[in-house]
Every structure is written in structure tokens, then in C-alpha cells.
Amino acid sequence: MNKYSITEFIKNTEQEDKGEGFFELETPRLLEVNLDGLVWAKAGSMVAYHGRIKFEREGILEHGIGAMFKKALTGEGATLMKANGQGKLYLADSGKKIIILYLQNEAIYVNGNDLLAFEPSINHNIKLMRKVAGMMAGGLFNVRCEGTGMIAITTHYEPLTLRVTPGKPVITDPNATVAWSGNLQPEFQTDISLKTFIGRGSGESIQMRFEGEGFVIVQPYEEVYMQTQS
């Protein structure tokens, strides 16, 4: 059989049940959700499904008045949808690499742009970085995910995890920072001397400084979701 035939292409790319459970990586950039109930996912991330699944955008009062105001401040970047029903759901986000993490009564902060999906057993809360709200349009936000269950996050290319230890802080570019451990609270600092070289879209180099004990996940790519205020 010709290696370029349609039959061979289908054989090499066909969906395959791996029996891995609720979340399954069909490819490094395509997440399969074996749905029997509810899953939260990033709005607009559905690429295909089969079965009986109903999609619903996250309600403006879904998580209370406080969450409503946070969403108004942070814009559409963390907009979620609920998928409810039975079947197979396929999610992706701009071809980014997908990482599945299982939280065991743990917490992790994820950049609002990089959270793809999570089980309903995970509590989520949008956190706005108020100290930088004046430096960039809309500020910078992340989502705190806490509890026991699976979450899926995305990165551009291969991620790198940096350990944070006492006395050895880690400084990152906000545009390249994907996630960090739930016990860390980053501070923001600026370095005027580097503004010519890094910190696109900010006018000066805004950096995230992590101190304590934990980890930070970064990607070899700057997501420019921050815009200079006009």
C-alpha cells in the first residue's frame, strides 16, 4: 500500500481509545475528554465532539458578584464554558502543547490565557494582579485552581519548570510565565535599564519575582496579551 494513500493517512491519524480516563491526550496538542457529566473548558476551545453534549457559556453571576467584577476587569481572556452530557469532546487552543496535571488536594495558579479545561471538582477563582493594573491595559490575571481532580493547561512549545527555594528567588517575564505553585505570591518589579531589550508592550521591563519554596512553569514564547494603554 502506498504510504501516502488516504487509507494509510487515516490509519496513522485515526482517533484511538487509550483507556486513560477522563482526560486523554489524543495528540500532544489535542485533548480528548471522555465526558459523562460536566467539564469546564476555555470558551472557543471545542474542535469536535460526538455524543449528546450541551455547551453553555459561564454565567455572569455563576460564581457571585465578586467574580462578576473580576471578569469585568480582566476582559474575555478567562471566559469559560460548561460542556454537559455524554460523549467524547475534543479541545485545543491555537495549536499549543497540552499538559494534564492531577491535583491531589493541591493548588496551582495558571495564567488566564493558558487554562484549557478542568474537572468540576476543582474550585477556580480569578485573581487580578492589582499592582500592575495601572501599568498595562486590564492588568494581568490568573486563575487559582484548587482541590482534587484533573486540569489541562497549555504552553507554546516545551515548558520548563524552575524550582523556587528560600534565598534563591526566580524572576520571570510575565508574557512567558504559564503557572506556579499555589503557595507562591509573585511580586512585580521593573528594570528600566532593560526596557530596550525586553518587556514588549509595556514600555519598560515588567518582571515577576517569586520568593519562597515552590515552582514556576515558563514557556519559550512571549504571549503578548498585554497592551499599552492609549
Side-chain angles (χ1 to χ4, degrees):
M1 184 183 294
N2 191 306
K3 68 178 181 178
Y4 297 118
S5 69
I6 290 177
T7 302
E8 192 67 15
F9 173 78
I10 292 172
K11 177 184 172 184
N12 291 334
T13 61
E14 190 173 11
Q15 182 269 333
E16 178 185 354
D17 283 322
K18 301 184 179 73
E20 295 175 358
F22 187 63
F23 282 174
E24 208 171 280
L25 282 180
E26 275 298 316
T27 76
R29 292 168 174 80
L30 201 62
L31 178 71
E32 177 185 277
V33 183
N34 292 296
L35 194 59
D36 186 11
L38 173 70
V39 69
W40 285 96
K42 185 174 183 177
S45 63
M46 185 277 288
V47 295
Y49 73 91
H50 62 76
R52 301 185 67 176
I53 301 174
K54 180 182 178 183
F55 298 92
E56 185 180 347
R57 200 175 185 87
E58 183 180 23
I60 195 166
L61 292 174
E62 187 102 28
H63 303 287
I65 294 290
M68 180 187 73
F69 285 121
K70 286 178 186 175
K71 290 182 74 65
L73 283 169
T74 56
E76 291 297 305
T79 300
L80 298 169
M81 66 180 182
K82 291 185 289 187
N84 206 337
Q86 292 182 318
K88 290 186 182 294
L89 171 63
Y90 299 94
L91 304 174
D93 185 13
S94 302
K96 293 161 69 176
K97 184 179 176 68
I98 299 169
I99 299 134
I100 298 171
L101 299 173
Y102 181 70
L103 304 186
Q104 301 180 67
N105 197 26
E106 297 168 293
I108 186 172
Y109 287 97
V110 183
N111 182 295
N113 241 21
D114 302 320
L115 181 61
L116 180 64
F118 54 91
E119 289 193 78
S121 58
I122 297 294
N123 295 318
H124 70 287
N125 189 20
I126 296 172
K127 302 281 186 178
L128 177 66
M129 298 291 195
R130 298 182 185 281
K131 291 185 179 179
V132 292
M135 298 181 191
M136 55 193 72
L140 181 67
F141 66 94
N142 55 72
V143 183
R144 180 181 170 89
C145 295
E146 187 170 13
T148 297
M150 302 180 87
I151 70 170
I153 66 176
T154 58
T155 66
H156 287 276
Y157 311 108
E158 301 298 324
L160 174 68
T161 300
L162 301 171
R163 292 270 187 187
V164 181
T165 56
K168 293 185 177 180
V170 171
I171 292 90
T172 65
D173 181 337
N175 291 331
T177 306
V178 174
W180 58 93
S181 48
N183 60 305
L184 295 180
Q185 296 291 335
E187 292 292 330
F188 283 82
Q189 63 184 34
T190 59
D191 189 338
I192 306 300
S193 65
L194 290 177
K195 69 178 181 179
T196 307
F197 306 104
I198 59 177
R200 287 184 296 164
S202 64
E204 56 191 32
S205 171
I206 301 174
Q207 303 164 346
M208 297 176 78
R209 180 184 180 92
F210 296 88
E211 292 193 78
E213 190 160 1
F215 64 85
V216 183
I217 303 171
V218 295
Q219 62 185 3
Y221 184 94
E222 290 182 83
E223 284 190 86
V224 186
Y225 48 83
M226 300 180 295
Q227 300 297 326
T228 305
Q229 288 179 311
S230 57

